[in-house]
């Protein structure tokens, strides 16, 4: 093979693979458009916005598992149970999520646990109201157990599910340390996007149903839901408490 033949062979080979890669990259991007459309169809069929929020977590979990099992070169994940640095960041929830969480709390928490949680949520909601910039707020989540595990793990919000990290040390620096403005924890882009698409689709589903679509701070949203479910379950006690 002459030098020119070698150049032609290598160039043709690279051109062919480049064409394949461009086609694949379009298909890869299409995954997220299809995902958003699938969320939308499922949420339209859900009986309520809370049911849609439940569906959102199930679909996002399945998409995450499928990505992990089928798409090569996924970034590593240093997250593990009991590492709760990210549970000191401000969390927002899309429509329906707080209802699902409040229902879970009614079903699984004792009355004393609910009262203690309500007190912690009130402190957290007040801190968020008073904060000049909630994104800089660093506060232990009211739902984080003494063992540093989420007490509502099965129904945790989409943003909690979305957050991943390749480095525990980096998380601790960003959450508890002093890092330059605008720097954060590098996310697994696909994993994060799966959950953000669910969030956007839930907001759209709420608009389609004529419901408020804005995300709310977790503590306030959960307090509101717990108050309305208590009012529905024990109307006499709530009226007495208001007097
Ligand atoms: S809801 Fe659970 S996972 Fe989310 S910040 Fe609170 S304790 Fe952590």
């Amino acid at each position: 093979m002459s030098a020119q033949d070698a150049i032609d062979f290598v160039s043709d080979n690279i051109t062919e693979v480049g064409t394949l890669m461009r086609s694949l990259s379009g298909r890869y991007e299409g995954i997220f458009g299809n995902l958003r459309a699938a969320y939308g169809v499922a949420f339209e069929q859900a009986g309520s916005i809370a049911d849609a929020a439940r569906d959102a977590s199930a679909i996002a979990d399945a998409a995450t598992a499928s990505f992990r099992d089928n798409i090569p070169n996924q970034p590593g994940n240093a997250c593990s149970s009991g590492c709760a640095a990210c549970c000191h960041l401000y969390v927002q929830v899309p429509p329906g999520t707080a209802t699902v969480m409040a229902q879970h709390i009614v079903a699984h928490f004792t009355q004393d646990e609910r009262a203690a949680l309500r007190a912690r949520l009130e402190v957290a909601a007040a801190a968020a109201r008073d904060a000049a910039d909630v994104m800089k707020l660093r506060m232990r989540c009211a739902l984080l157990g003494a063992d540093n595990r989420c007490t509502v793990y099965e129904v945790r919000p989409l943003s909690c599910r979305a957050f991943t990290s390749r480095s525990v040390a980096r998380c601790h620096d960003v959450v508890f340390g002093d890092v330059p403005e605008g720097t954060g924890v590098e996310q697994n882009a696909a994993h994060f996007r799966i959950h953000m698409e669910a969030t956007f689709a839930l907001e759209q589903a709420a608009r389609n149903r004529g419901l408020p679509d804005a995300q709310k701070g977790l503590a306030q949203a959960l307090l509101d839901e717990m108050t309305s479910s208590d009012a529905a379950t024990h109307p006499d006690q709530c009226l007495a408490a208001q007097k």
Side-chain angles (χ1 to χ4, degrees):
M1 182 185 273
S2 69
Q4 188 56 53
D5 288 342
I7 289 168
D8 291 346
F9 170 74
V10 168
S11 300
D12 287 350
N13 190 228
I14 291 171
T15 303
E16 186 186 345
V17 173
T19 304
L20 283 171
M21 286 175 78
R22 271 195 298 281
S23 157
L24 257 187
S25 127
R27 294 282 308 272
Y28 180 87
E29 191 55 33
I31 288 174
F32 299 101
N34 291 337
L35 180 62
R36 185 184 286 206
Y39 280 131
V41 172
F43 296 172
E44 282 303 312
Q45 291 176 9
S48 67
I49 195 70
D51 288 339
R54 240 179 241 106
D55 291 346
S57 297
I59 297 168
D61 283 355
T64 297
S66 192
F67 243 91
R68 188 188 55 230
D69 295 344
N70 295 293
I71 305 289
N73 303 323
Q74 290 293 300
N77 186 358
C79 300
S80 63
S81 181
C83 174
C86 61
C87 298
H88 293 73
L89 297 172
Y90 180 70
V91 171
Q92 285 191 302
V93 291
T97 303
T99 311
V100 175
M101 296 176 77
Q103 288 169 353
H104 179 89
I105 287 162
V106 166
H108 294 92
F109 284 38
T110 65
Q111 214 159 6
D112 285 352
E113 286 169 340
R114 290 209 294 275
L117 172 61
R118 182 185 281 278
R120 293 194 300 276
L121 288 170
E122 276 165 2
V123 172
R129 273 197 306 276
D130 294 345
D133 179 355
V134 286
M135 301 320 285
K136 290 186 179 156
L137 199 57
R138 298 291 183 263
M139 192 171 188
R140 188 178 174 84
C141 177
L143 292 154
L144 192 57
D147 58 358
N148 264 3
R149 289 175 169 80
C150 179
T151 53
V152 291
Y153 188 77
E154 300 90 326
V155 292
R156 68 199 184 286
L158 286 166
S159 50
C160 303
R161 293 167 188 267
F163 200 91
T164 55
S165 172
R166 299 172 74 167
S167 161
V168 173
R170 177 65 187 165
C171 282
H172 279 255
D173 286 348
V174 168
V175 176
F176 304 118
D178 194 17
V179 295
E181 185 100 11
T183 61
V185 176
E186 190 188 349
Q187 295 296 302
N188 174 329
H191 181 89
F192 192 76
R193 201 159 159 198
I194 285 168
H195 294 82
M196 289 306 100
E197 293 293 354
T199 302
F200 301 145
L202 271 180
E203 290 171 341
Q204 184 60 53
R207 282 193 289 279
N208 293 347
R209 289 166 189 253
L211 299 170
D213 64 345
Q215 294 193 51
K216 281 169 129 185
L218 170 59
Q220 189 61 59
L222 198 46
L223 266 180
D224 293 346
E225 281 298 330
M226 288 172 72
T227 301
S228 54
S229 62
D230 281 356
T233 322
H234 307 292
D236 299 345
Q237 287 173 22
C238 285
L239 278 174
Q242 284 167 16
K243 286 179 183 164

